[in-house]
Amino acid sequence: MDTTEGPRALCDLCLAQVCSSLDTLCSRRADGSMFLSWAPLFPQEMADQLLQKLATLGILNDTTVGIFRNCKELRLRRATIRSCPVSAKAFRLALCPHRLQELDASWVSGGLTGASIISSLASNPECRSSLQRLSLNGLPLDLESLEEDHGGFSCLHGLRTLNVANTDLTDAIFEDICSLPQLEKLDISCCAVTKLTALLSCKNTLKSLIVHQLRQLDMSPARLLSVLSQLHALRHLDFSDDHFTVDDSDGKDGDETVRQLLEGSPQVLPSLVSLDISGRKRVMETAVRAFVEARGGLVFLGLLATGASSCDVLSTQKNLKVTGKANENQVCEALRRYRDRECFIREGLIRLYNLITDIDKPRPDMLKLVLSGMQSHPTSLHVHLVATACVFNLTTQDLAEAMPVQKNCLLALCSEYILQDVPFDKYLAATLVIIWLSSHEDPTLQRMAVAVISILVSKLSTKETAQLAKDVFFMKQLLAIVQQKAMVGVVDSTLKFALSALWNLTDEMPTAARNFIECQGLELYEEVLESYYTEPSIQQKVLGLLNNIAEVEALQSDLMEEDLLEHILSLLQDSQVEVGVRYFAGGILAHLASRPEAWTLDEELRSSILEQLHASIMTWTHLEREMVSYRSFRPFLALLQTCQPPGVQLWAVWAIHLVCSQNTSHYSSMLEQEGVTELLRALTAHPDTHGDIKGLSNSILQTVEHNESHPGSSNKRTGPRNS
């Protein structure tokens, strides 16, 4: 990356801190949504930035978006919930009361539709006139469900910019859109519109039209050009196509329209200064030359994958930017401009690879463009294969001195797609990265390395994890990261990734747990637990690892410290502490209290623990978010015996009920195979079993039975084990 980049802005750092501290700063409403316990009057722009930061960090959802129901202190104008899981109800309650000017709801999950967005916005009379920019890219519109009095898009009569690309847009809805009185910019790419005649309704206002890949368009070239020629105010036209998915028989009418436009009179679209015809076939250099020479004010021309980007006239236009393959500037411009279009990013990377085969100087600017393309298309194997080849060429031989090859290997590994789905030797990769980490202290590289290690460890097989667990050097390096961060009291992603890696490494791995203790990890974690008492995300990971130790009978004596257990007991009892933290606190205490023969502390403390376990667990609310997963239920078997105290039994059945309700298909067979269902039936049948335990046990058994009779009805977990 560019080493001349300065430090992050103070505002960005502050917003990041707020986002990471929401659990501390917020309280909960009855519906589970958050609100700031104390909210100052935010500068208006900062409220927009806070919402965008939450979305960028991937933590904006029905719970966190609730803080924006406070319209007095947090006044939104430019709202983005792009790619976030936000429901229609949460959207209506949190965002629609604001006097929004811009809204980006592209690719939102959670059931939000174009219809629910329009009806919710229309319910606020101010939004009907104030909203100027709206992006619904990738959403189902479902406008048939709108009530007549809402009137579709036309009820938002202040709209100037609208993006409905990749939606179920119909000709009827398109006509409604074109009736907007102030419409200036419109994107209907990848939609099933068959006619563009409705554009004549906005011919005096429309300045930008993006109609990329309109496969259902049914207009003759003459008729299409006739409509376009009447858009007197149009300055930008994108009539590009996806060349990878078009065969020679497709798109002929569109290609002919492009030819006529290029060769036609400059009186057609006289205001045009930007034209994108990338991906169009049968584009001739002679037509491009005529078009450029006739339009002196041209500032952009998209010619990628047309075969016409080598036209000599292009190099004589100083103010003209071009996307194509003829030279470095054209290729880099394509990678910058087409970030969201997989077909053009793929083409651009192929052309970049050809350009840099014999490169002889460092190009961090190119590397940044490659990384941007990978990040924008995390699931595209085509993009990642070419991109990694580009990374290799940009970081070989003498270039490694300016841009270390290891650093850029980390950049490649930081791709979620590669880490999650591409097959490679993850054990070897984790070992190599930890060795590299031991000799590098750069904070940015350290953060990347620890993140990669954390995810790789969670992806290892049980055999591989056991092998890695024997490596004391690996354990020491991760503990060194935790100690380094804890010494200055910082809370960042590096610390969290290191804690997650240690947590997963010790999961049902007695050897790793033993190494952790021998490397003085227990003393370090006791300090972290006390010093980070206001950080539930840190506490949860620390207690999760201590749970792993408590599951190992031979190591339980190392946890028999009165101060430590009293502190953990205080976390269990505190109703202000998050359920996730109290859950793991309860797990440690349940395991230790389950073996009276191994208890070495005051008996009154054990009795208090057993009493408080039961009382506390009965106050816990059900968790929707998956916070833990288990390799097996073997550590629970001893806790489910009928001779165990009720507090111990209750924690075990509550834990099993939690994970089974969240991921039934994954755990049902495990319960049967490991004999857990048999133990649950014994508990329900035993006369001395507490009613609370019987109720949860029956619920688990019913869930398993339902899953067996309806296989495949539940989702499977796909993420890391403990993150």
Side-chain angles (χ1 to χ4, degrees):
M1 302 298 285
D2 189 351
T3 56
T4 63
E5 291 181 358
R8 291 169 64 189
L10 179 60
C11 178
D12 186 56
L13 290 170
C14 292
L15 288 171
Q17 182 62 35
V18 170
C19 292
S20 66
S21 305
L22 285 182
D23 289 323
T24 303
L25 298 173
C26 293
S27 301
R28 304 270 182 153
R29 298 183 181 88
D31 63 1
S33 63
M34 287 181 168
F35 65 93
L36 290 171
S37 302
W38 176 80
L41 178 62
F42 272 57
Q44 191 280 306
E45 296 84 357
M46 192 169 290
D48 294 341
Q49 292 169 10
L50 176 59
L51 179 66
Q52 184 170 13
K53 192 70 175 178
L54 289 167
T56 303
L57 293 174
I59 56 177
L60 186 68
N61 50 43
D62 282 8
T63 300
T64 54
V65 78
I67 68 175
F68 295 96
R69 294 188 197 178
N70 181 348
C71 301
K72 293 183 179 179
E73 280 71 35
L74 293 166
R75 298 158 297 157
L76 294 174
R77 294 294 180 268
R78 296 171 177 83
T80 177
I81 55 174
R82 188 182 184 92
S83 302
C84 297
V86 176
S87 67
K89 179 181 178 182
F91 171 79
R92 175 172 49 80
L93 292 175
L95 299 187
C96 292
H98 296 267
R99 194 174 188 274
L100 295 178
Q101 296 174 356
E102 300 178 10
L103 172 64
D104 184 355
S106 301
W107 304 105
V108 169
S109 56
L112 200 58
T113 65
S116 57
I117 287 175
I118 292 173
S119 62
S120 297
L121 291 171
S123 66
N124 180 352
E126 288 190 323
C127 278
R128 287 176 177 253
S129 57
S130 67
L131 192 70
Q132 298 179 23
R133 297 170 62 93
L134 177 62
S135 180
L136 304 180
N137 190 359
L139 286 192
L141 296 180
D142 190 30
L143 293 193
E144 296 79 8
S145 64
L146 271 181
E147 298 177 6
E148 290 186 9
D149 58 341
H150 284 123
F153 284 99
S154 57
C155 72
L156 303 174
H157 46 79
L159 275 181
R160 295 176 181 270
T161 300
L162 179 61
N163 183 347
V164 286
N166 299 288
T167 66
D168 51 339
L169 182 69
T170 63
D171 288 332
I173 300 171
F174 182 52
E175 288 185 18
D176 178 55
I177 288 172
C178 291
S179 70
L180 288 164
Q182 302 182 70
L183 188 63
E184 296 179 352
K185 297 181 180 180
L186 178 62
D187 186 347
I188 58 170
S189 301
C190 304
C191 291
V193 170
T194 64
K195 307 290 183 185
L196 296 184
T197 312
L199 290 170
L200 297 177
S201 299
C202 54
K203 64 181 181 180
N204 295 321
T205 61
L206 195 65
K207 297 178 181 179
S208 172
L209 176 63
I210 303 176
V211 286
H212 169 74
Q213 197 178 336
L214 289 190
R215 291 294 160 78
Q216 305 300 318
L217 197 60
D218 185 20
M219 297 179 73
S220 67
R223 180 56 183 153
L224 181 54
L225 199 60
S226 172
V227 171
L228 293 176
S229 66
Q230 296 181 61
L231 306 181
H232 305 302
L234 198 68
R235 295 176 60 81
H236 170 67
L237 173 62
D238 182 342
F239 198 60
S240 59
D241 204 4
D242 181 352
H243 59 296
F244 282 116
T245 59
V246 180
D247 59 37
D248 291 335
S249 62
D250 288 336
K252 285 187 176 180
D253 285 347
D255 293 343
E256 176 60 20
T257 302
V258 168
R259 187 193 67 77
Q260 293 184 22
L261 176 61
L262 292 176
E263 297 178 351
S265 167
Q267 298 307 311
V268 176
L269 298 176
S271 301
L272 200 69
V273 296
S274 171
L275 175 65
D276 198 337
I277 53 174
S278 290
R280 289 289 175 186
K281 301 178 181 179
R282 295 176 281 275
V283 176
M284 305 299 293
E285 287 191 10
T286 53
V288 170
R289 181 182 297 108
F291 183 79
V292 172
E293 290 177 345
R295 297 175 185 262
L298 207 61
V299 296
F300 172 71
L301 188 57
L303 294 173
L304 185 66
T306 62
S309 62
S310 298
C311 183
D312 54 4
V313 74
L314 299 175
S315 60
T316 66
Q317 307 296 312
K318 293 182 179 180
N319 297 323
L320 178 62
K321 291 186 176 181
V322 180
T323 59
K325 69 172 185 178
N327 54 51
E328 176 188 308
N329 288 338
Q330 289 186 6
V331 173
C332 289
E333 182 66 25
L335 292 174
R336 274 190 293 269
R337 190 173 290 260
Y338 298 133
R339 178 173 176 173
D340 293 331
R341 291 185 182 168
E342 181 187 347
C343 60
F344 293 157
I345 286 293
R346 177 180 168 188
E347 177 73 17
L349 289 170
I350 291 171
R351 301 306 171 188
L352 180 66
Y353 178 78
N354 294 332
L355 283 174
I356 61 177
T357 302
D358 299 316
I359 194 168
D360 59 358
K361 62 180 180 179
R363 292 300 302 268
D365 57 328
M366 285 185 175
L367 195 61
K368 185 180 290 188
L369 289 173
V370 174
L371 178 61
S372 174
M374 296 174 77
Q375 290 173 330
S376 297
H377 304 282
T379 62
S380 170
L381 184 59
H382 292 297
V383 167
H384 282 257
L385 284 175
V386 185
T388 50
C390 290
V391 169
F392 179 80
N393 274 1
L394 287 167
T395 56
T396 54
Q397 300 177 1
D398 295 337
L399 304 185
E401 184 176 346
M403 295 185 298
V405 65
Q406 299 99 329
K407 173 178 178 179
N408 295 296
C409 286
L410 287 175
L411 284 172
L413 275 177
C414 277
S415 160
E416 181 180 358
Y417 174 67
I418 289 179
L419 283 173
Q420 301 283 5
D421 298 317
V422 175
F424 63 96
D425 191 334
K426 294 179 173 61
Y427 173 82
L428 177 60
T431 304
L432 293 174
V433 174
I434 202 75
I435 293 172
W436 181 89
L437 181 63
S438 66
S439 58
H440 292 78
E441 296 182 356
D442 178 270
T444 301
L445 302 185
Q446 187 185 72
R447 180 175 68 251
M448 292 163 54
V450 176
V452 168
I453 289 169
S454 178
I455 296 174
L456 288 176
V457 169
S458 73
K459 292 292 181 180
L460 297 179
S461 67
T462 302
K463 182 179 179 181
E464 289 172 328
T465 306
Q467 187 177 353
L468 197 62
K470 300 175 184 177
D471 191 340
V472 177
F473 175 77
F474 198 98
M475 180 73 68
K476 286 183 176 179
Q477 292 304 312
L478 290 174
L479 285 172
I481 296 292
V482 175
Q483 186 170 31
Q484 174 191 342
K485 296 295 181 180
M487 284 177 63
V488 292
V490 70
V491 178
D492 62 10
S493 59
T494 305
L495 173 61
K496 292 179 180 180
F497 278 126
L499 292 173
S500 293
L502 286 164
W503 185 5
N504 281 322
L505 192 62
T506 55
D507 185 14
E508 290 195 48
M509 293 293 157
T511 302
R514 170 70 69 186
N515 288 340
F516 175 85
I517 293 172
E518 292 179 352
C519 293
Q520 284 72 53
L522 194 55
E523 292 86 347
L524 174 60
Y525 267 43
E526 288 181 34
E527 294 176 10
V528 172
L529 196 60
E530 292 185 8
S531 56
Y532 287 86
Y533 63 92
T534 61
E535 297 293 340
S537 62
I538 302 298
Q539 287 183 312
Q540 189 168 303
K541 298 176 192 298
V542 169
L543 292 170
L545 186 143
L546 296 183
N547 251 282
N548 292 342
I549 296 176
E551 291 172 0
V552 183
E553 290 187 358
L555 302 179
Q556 288 177 348
S557 58
D558 290 281
L559 296 175
M560 289 292 178
E561 296 179 21
E562 189 168 337
D563 289 344
L564 173 62
L565 297 193
E566 285 184 346
H567 181 71
I568 295 174
L569 179 59
S570 70
L571 294 175
L572 173 73
Q573 294 172 297
D574 191 346
S575 61
Q576 299 302 311
V577 173
E578 279 196 3
V579 172
V581 174
R582 299 170 75 190
Y583 170 83
F584 289 109
I588 297 167
L589 298 174
H591 282 288
L592 296 180
S594 68
R595 298 180 64 230
E597 70 278 9
W599 186 265
T600 59
L601 301 177
D602 185 74
E603 191 60 35
E604 285 189 13
L605 177 58
R606 180 172 179 270
S607 298
S608 178
I609 286 172
L610 293 172
E611 180 182 338
Q612 291 301 321
L613 267 173
H614 198 128
S616 175
I617 293 170
M618 294 311 299
T619 67
W620 295 353
T621 55
H622 181 73
L623 298 174
E624 297 297 333
R625 180 179 62 86
E626 190 173 31
M627 66 172 181
V628 65
S629 58
Y630 292 103
R631 294 179 190 270
S632 76
F633 288 121
R634 284 188 292 272
F636 289 79
L637 301 182
L639 308 185
L640 293 170
Q641 301 299 318
T642 55
C643 60
Q644 286 288 3
V648 171
Q649 295 171 337
L650 183 60
W651 182 85
V653 295
W654 197 93
I656 295 170
H657 183 269
L658 172 68
V659 295
C660 286
S661 64
Q662 294 173 334
N663 201 340
T664 307
S665 60
H666 178 69
Y667 289 110
S668 286
S669 58
M670 190 189 298
L671 288 170
E672 291 282 2
Q673 293 167 4
E674 296 179 359
V676 178
T677 51
E678 186 178 337
L679 291 174
L680 292 174
R681 291 189 185 99
L683 280 176
T684 58
H686 199 279
D688 295 334
T689 301
H690 194 284
D692 296 331
I693 298 164
K694 286 186 177 183
L696 281 174
S697 298
N698 279 321
S699 179
I700 297 168
L701 292 170
Q702 289 170 6
T703 300
V704 173
E705 290 170 4
H706 180 269
N707 184 70
E708 289 175 347
S709 59
H710 300 82
S713 61
S714 301
N715 293 327
K716 292 186 177 180
R717 175 181 55 82
T718 57
R721 287 197 300 274
N722 298 313
S723 57

